[in-house]
Amino acid sequence: MAIGPRDVAVLHVLFAAIFTIVVATVRAPYWQDNCQTLSTEVDIVKNIVAEVNGQRLQVSCVARLTVNKCEGVCESVLSPSVHHYPFKKDCRCCREGEQAQRRIVMQECYGEDGNLMPHLHPTTTIKDLRNCDCFRCEN
């Protein structure tokens, strides 16, 4: 008995249905999203032109601050599909959610000669991460 194209299509649908059920049954009880918002310390370095005693000077300023970062894993699924041949992809990534502007004061500034400029404390603005979550991945 010969197997024709229609028989192959039926077998493909049957295999995909069985595979999806087995994967869903095995995977479901063991997997949970684990995307966390964690704190970490970083040094922000900013090169600026500052006016000191009527002179414009190139200075390098540093600020050490605590910021948030995203860390963890999110459930992603790749399964055989008749409708999205050959596979259905549902990818999710642990990444930034809400963000806000944050104004920071630079703690130390150094002149071109490397000397500390103790009375210079300029401000700058950074994007601050508020929270992380599992979102659909972008290519």
Side-chain angles (χ1 to χ4, degrees):
M1 178 173 170
I3 296 178
R6 182 173 167 81
D7 296 322
V8 171
V10 169
L11 287 173
H12 178 74
V13 170
L14 184 59
F15 172 74
I18 291 170
F19 184 77
T20 302
I21 290 168
V22 170
V23 168
T25 303
V26 170
R27 180 178 41 85
Y30 302 105
W31 188 266
Q32 287 186 344
D33 289 341
N34 183 22
C35 179
Q36 301 176 41
T37 307
L38 302 175
S39 296
T40 187
E41 281 197 5
V42 296
D43 288 328
I44 304 290
V45 178
K46 182 140 179 128
N47 295 318
I48 62 167
V49 176
E51 191 162 323
V52 180
N53 299 328
Q55 294 182 358
R56 294 175 60 82
L57 302 173
Q58 181 75 27
V59 296
S60 182
C61 301
V62 179
R64 176 167 284 268
L65 58 140
T66 302
V67 295
N68 290 327
K69 67 177 182 175
C70 297
E71 193 172 294
V73 294
C74 301
E75 182 177 23
S76 293
V77 178
L78 176 70
S79 57
S81 172
V82 176
H83 302 292
H84 301 91
Y85 186 78
F87 299 105
K88 178 182 178 200
K89 298 176 185 178
D90 181 20
C91 300
R92 296 183 330 128
C93 303
C94 180
R95 63 183 182 91
E96 72 279 1
E98 182 183 345
Q99 299 178 39
Q101 294 290 328
R102 177 176 168 190
R103 191 163 193 79
I104 60 169
V105 177
M106 305 308 283
Q107 297 159 344
E108 296 177 349
C109 292
Y110 298 89
E112 292 176 342
D113 58 4
N115 289 328
L116 179 65
M117 303 178 81
H119 302 294
L120 186 60
H121 299 285
T123 62
T124 190
T125 304
I126 63 168
K127 272 192 176 180
D128 195 19
L129 177 65
R130 296 285 185 217
N131 62 353
C132 304
D133 208 342
C134 293
F135 294 98
R136 181 174 285 288
C137 299
E138 298 176 14
N139 297 339

